[in-house]
Amino acid sequence: GYRSGMLIRRRLADGRKARCGAGLPAAGLGGAWLVCALAGGCSSPFDAKATDALKTSVIESAKRETAPLLRDTGSGPQPIAAPALLTRAPGEVSLPAERMAELEAMAGPGAKRPEQPDVGQDLLGGVSEVFPVTLQQVIASSVRNNLDVEVARIEPGIASAQLAVAESAFDWTFFTNFNHENLDRPQPGQVLAPGLTTSRAQQRQNVGYETGVRKPLTSGGRLSVSQGQTYTDDDSPGVDLLPEPYNTAQATVRLEQPLLRNFGSDVATAEIRLNRNAERASVLDLEAAMLGTVTNTERAYWELVRSRRSLEIVQRLFDRGVQTRDVLRGRVAFDAKPAEIADAVATVERRRAQVIRAQNSLRQASDRLKALVNDPRLTVGSEALVSPADEPPDAPVTFSLLDSISTALRRRPEVQRAVLGIDDATIRQKVADNARLPQLDLALQAQFAGLDSSTREAYDQLNEGKFVDYLVAASFEQPIGNRGPEAGFRRSQLERLRSVGEYRRAVQAVVLDVKTALRNVRTNYQLIEQTRASRLAATENLRTLEVLERTTQSLTPDFLDLKFRRQENLAQAELDEVSALTDYSIALADLAAAEGVALTRNRVEFVVPEGK
């Protein structure tokens, strides 16, 4: 489910209220939102005495990460630092406005650029068709068409079907039996008096049916209600029955209920709760796949921007080298030496190689983006080129480490999935604990019967309740030593402890992701200004040298070497500035992914489809 729109919504696949690990409501600092999952809000709560330390450990693992960012003011914990806007030190390049305009026109984002750089021949030996796209367009297409998302989108449906299978275990079942029995067997006769014995043959025909319904109960037992009729025709020699033939009607109610092992809804419905958690986990996996796809698409888009700008820069560097080489060739008759011309030619060819590499990098970046977008009009197999239409932003953002961590702990699917893991382990421990009990089963049955030559009369007797059988039965079973169940329970305890450790590890990993992303955002924002100042200074150096060349300076070897080096210094400064700009955009995308808000940030609405 996706929708490229304005907001983000979440709901369970079948419209149920959020329970323990699905939906996972927002909470205060430090993960207090886990109270529902860890303090009895789920179907299978932790045992109060046995899990106090465990519950505290889980909650404190989230609080511990935010505690250093808070201070006690007497009225409760308050943030140490308020949200702040990114800042950076201004560059030291200070020139008149007209000079700055000239430098910006020579190099950098403001320099004149071709509508489409020369990307060389494609693999078909022709010129590639170019498709300009915006960031929002590629994100919308990747959410719709990306293959990873397409696969993940199927999983909630599979999990929903599996949940329906588990729930169907408690459905009513209709059953019916039919039998036709024809007996003709010898049997010993019974001596009634000297010379008088009963028949030594049994000849009887029975035709009957039974029909009813049965239902497993959430208490662990089973209830069945049935009724049936049997027609009997006894032709045994020497046997006279009244009535004969006759019809027997019966109605039976039977309840089978375990009293110790397998008793209770915690055990009987364990598979349902586990499958419900699996359904929620599949939804979280879908959200994680969409978050990853959106983030990777945004990263690939800015990498494509970097590749295109890099190609433009090295092409401009190549063009400057060609101009210098041509000028040098034109002065062969004056002061240019063959060695100097050879050096210029070598430099130009080296730059031509850089252009070829940049062309390849651009095509590779285009294909990587096409693979993520998976647009049927821009398949990976085509040689069409994707051209970015957006420029990387250079605007500061407001950041807060405390807010980012708190948001990530609420929104990251990994943390929510870890909570589901704790609930799964708790459910299994509850079942394993119950399995240690002896098997003590109770069976209760009442059967109403009627018998007559007429079927109607037999049912009338049944309805009058003249003949009623009652059955009460109990069975007991206990393994000697009980080693298997006890070992299974110990294993379930360790698995639950492991699930808590995995939750704590997920929390720690999320906090590390947030801090790393925030540092990258701040670092790259600061680098934009420093690389821009470096590029302006390098541009001024080259401009000054070109002025000297046009006025008084002769083309000495040292001067040519200096000119080539300044051209390359300027190109490297331009590449550094482009890297800082694109890295800043990528860092913002990584920060949104670390906080779990990449979908919201890109106006993608996450709607879980109704499970049917």
Side-chain angles (χ1 to χ4, degrees):
Y2 78 94
R3 192 173 299 162
S4 179
M6 299 297 293
L7 301 173
I8 183 169
R9 296 185 300 176
R10 296 182 179 189
R11 64 173 179 264
L12 293 180
D14 57 359
R16 291 184 295 272
K17 290 185 178 179
R19 296 173 60 195
C20 190
L24 296 175
L29 303 176
W33 53 283
L34 291 173
V35 171
C36 165
L38 304 178
C42 303
S43 300
S44 181
F46 290 167
D47 296 332
K49 293 182 180 179
T51 60
D52 281 345
L54 188 63
K55 179 171 59 179
T56 301
S57 173
V58 170
I59 296 176
E60 289 298 325
S61 65
K63 287 185 176 180
R64 180 178 59 188
E65 301 297 342
T66 55
L69 309 177
L70 299 168
R71 61 184 172 190
D72 192 358
T73 60
S75 59
Q78 297 295 327
I80 292 177
L85 192 68
L86 286 175
T87 59
R88 61 193 182 196
E92 296 183 3
V93 177
S94 179
L95 296 170
E98 60 275 8
R99 179 67 55 80
M100 290 292 289
E102 182 182 356
L103 297 182
E104 291 289 357
M106 284 182 62
K112 183 179 180 181
R113 297 183 302 184
E115 184 176 342
Q116 176 60 34
D118 179 14
V119 296
Q121 286 188 339
D122 57 26
L123 295 178
L124 302 177
V127 178
S128 299
E129 189 176 2
V130 178
F131 291 88
V133 293
T134 65
L135 176 61
Q136 197 61 39
Q137 286 175 330
V138 296
I139 288 178
S141 183
S142 67
V143 170
R144 284 194 301 267
N145 304 315
N146 182 267
L147 295 179
D148 290 338
V149 174
E150 182 178 332
V151 172
R153 192 179 290 126
I154 298 173
E155 293 302 321
I158 296 175
S160 180
Q162 188 61 39
L163 174 60
V165 171
E167 291 175 335
S168 69
F170 295 96
D171 291 348
W172 285 97
T173 300
F174 172 79
F175 65 92
T176 184
N177 303 315
F178 175 80
N179 67 83
H180 179 211
E181 182 182 44
N182 191 13
L183 297 179
D184 188 4
R185 65 178 61 169
Q187 66 179 9
Q190 182 179 1
V191 179
L192 301 178
L196 181 61
T197 61
T198 61
S199 173
R200 297 186 60 185
Q202 184 181 25
Q203 297 175 339
R204 187 176 64 202
Q205 183 181 31
N206 294 324
V207 179
Y209 75 92
E210 181 186 18
T211 185
V213 291
R214 68 170 67 98
K215 175 181 175 60
L217 305 176
T218 56
S219 63
R222 186 172 73 164
L223 174 66
S224 63
V225 180
S226 65
Q227 70 84 29
Q229 175 195 352
T230 303
Y231 168 81
T232 304
D233 184 5
D234 196 327
D235 294 328
S236 302
V239 176
D240 294 325
L241 301 176
L242 185 67
E244 206 285 320
Y246 60 88
N247 290 278
T248 303
Q250 71 275 346
T252 305
V253 179
R254 182 178 179 86
L255 173 65
E256 299 170 341
Q257 177 62 52
L259 301 180
L260 293 176
R261 191 190 306 169
N262 299 326
F263 171 79
S265 61
D266 278 339
V267 177
T269 63
E271 282 300 317
I272 292 178
R273 296 201 305 276
L274 288 172
N275 279 280
R276 184 172 294 128
N277 282 352
E279 181 189 32
R280 294 164 180 161
S282 67
V283 173
L284 292 174
D285 289 343
L286 171 58
E287 184 178 6
M290 294 182 67
L291 283 169
T293 297
V294 167
T295 302
N296 290 336
T297 301
E298 192 167 357
R299 290 177 63 91
Y301 187 86
W302 295 123
E303 290 291 350
L304 181 62
V305 171
R306 189 204 307 264
S307 297
R308 177 189 168 112
R309 295 283 292 276
S310 297
L311 176 58
E312 293 170 352
I313 290 168
V314 296
Q315 281 185 340
R316 188 157 53 236
L317 176 64
F318 171 73
D319 293 340
R320 286 182 174 135
V322 169
Q323 291 175 1
T324 302
R325 181 202 62 190
D326 292 345
V327 169
L328 191 61
R329 283 176 173 173
R331 300 184 61 161
V332 170
F334 299 97
D335 53 2
K337 300 177 181 179
E340 295 169 352
I341 296 176
D343 184 60
V345 170
T347 300
V348 168
E349 294 306 316
R350 184 175 67 250
R351 293 178 182 180
R352 192 193 304 275
Q354 289 179 286
V355 171
I356 294 173
R357 293 190 186 97
Q359 289 172 340
N360 181 61
S361 295
L362 177 61
R363 289 189 176 277
Q364 300 282 20
S366 174
D367 283 345
R368 284 193 294 270
L369 182 59
K370 287 194 294 183
L372 286 167
V373 172
N374 195 34
D375 193 307
R377 297 166 299 178
L378 287 173
T379 63
V380 178
S382 72
E383 279 295 276
L385 271 177
V386 178
S387 177
D390 292 338
E391 294 294 330
D394 182 18
V397 296
T398 301
F399 75 98
S400 166
L401 178 58
L402 179 61
D403 291 346
S404 294
I405 291 177
S406 300
T407 300
L409 292 179
R410 291 196 308 269
R411 302 295 297 273
R412 284 284 290 271
E414 297 93 324
V415 177
Q416 301 180 36
R417 215 181 191 291
V419 175
L420 288 179
I422 296 176
D423 192 41
D424 284 348
T426 303
I427 293 170
R428 294 189 177 98
Q429 179 177 334
K430 194 77 173 180
V431 174
D433 188 19
N434 178 270
R436 298 189 298 164
L437 298 174
Q439 185 83 39
L440 177 60
D441 295 342
L442 175 67
L444 303 175
Q445 179 176 303
Q447 187 176 69
F448 299 83
L451 186 149
D452 203 282
S453 59
S454 167
T455 301
R456 178 175 180 179
E457 292 298 329
Y459 273 101
D460 287 343
Q461 291 180 21
L462 185 151
N463 293 332
E464 292 170 2
K466 288 184 177 181
F467 305 96
V468 184
D469 293 338
Y470 296 102
L471 170 68
V472 177
S475 62
F476 179 85
E477 180 181 304
Q478 172 66 28
I480 298 175
N482 211 28
R483 289 196 306 163
E486 291 292 344
F489 179 66
R490 288 195 300 273
R491 181 183 65 185
S492 68
Q493 286 180 310
L494 294 174
E495 288 175 346
R496 189 173 66 167
L497 288 174
R498 181 181 64 186
S499 68
V500 174
E502 290 172 348
Y503 166 78
R504 295 173 63 185
R505 183 170 60 185
V507 169
Q508 189 179 73
V510 164
V511 173
L512 180 61
D513 287 347
V514 169
K515 292 188 68 177
T516 301
L518 274 175
R519 284 199 178 99
N520 288 338
V521 167
R522 186 174 63 178
T523 298
N524 287 294
Y525 182 71
Q526 293 171 344
L527 286 175
I528 292 174
E529 184 65 28
Q530 307 312 312
T531 56
R532 180 171 296 153
S534 175
R535 187 258 303 168
L536 288 171
T539 308
E540 174 63 11
N541 283 342
L542 180 60
R543 188 200 67 82
T544 303
L545 200 64
E546 290 177 346
V547 170
L548 289 174
E549 182 182 5
R550 290 193 300 268
T551 55
T552 60
Q553 185 66 42
S554 62
L555 293 181
T556 65
D558 290 340
F559 182 85
L560 286 173
D561 180 66
L562 179 62
K563 183 177 181 181
F564 280 132
R565 282 191 289 110
R566 287 190 179 180
Q567 289 175 350
E568 290 176 357
N569 288 342
L570 174 56
Q572 186 59 52
E574 288 187 275
L575 291 172
D576 291 342
E577 183 182 13
V578 168
S579 293
L581 285 166
T582 54
D583 285 345
Y584 178 59
S585 298
I586 291 173
L588 290 175
D590 290 342
L591 177 60
E595 293 178 351
V597 297
L599 299 181
T600 309
R601 176 173 176 266
N602 288 285
R603 294 178 292 177
V604 176
E605 184 180 16
F606 182 70
V607 179
V608 180
E610 296 290 343
K612 297 297 183 183

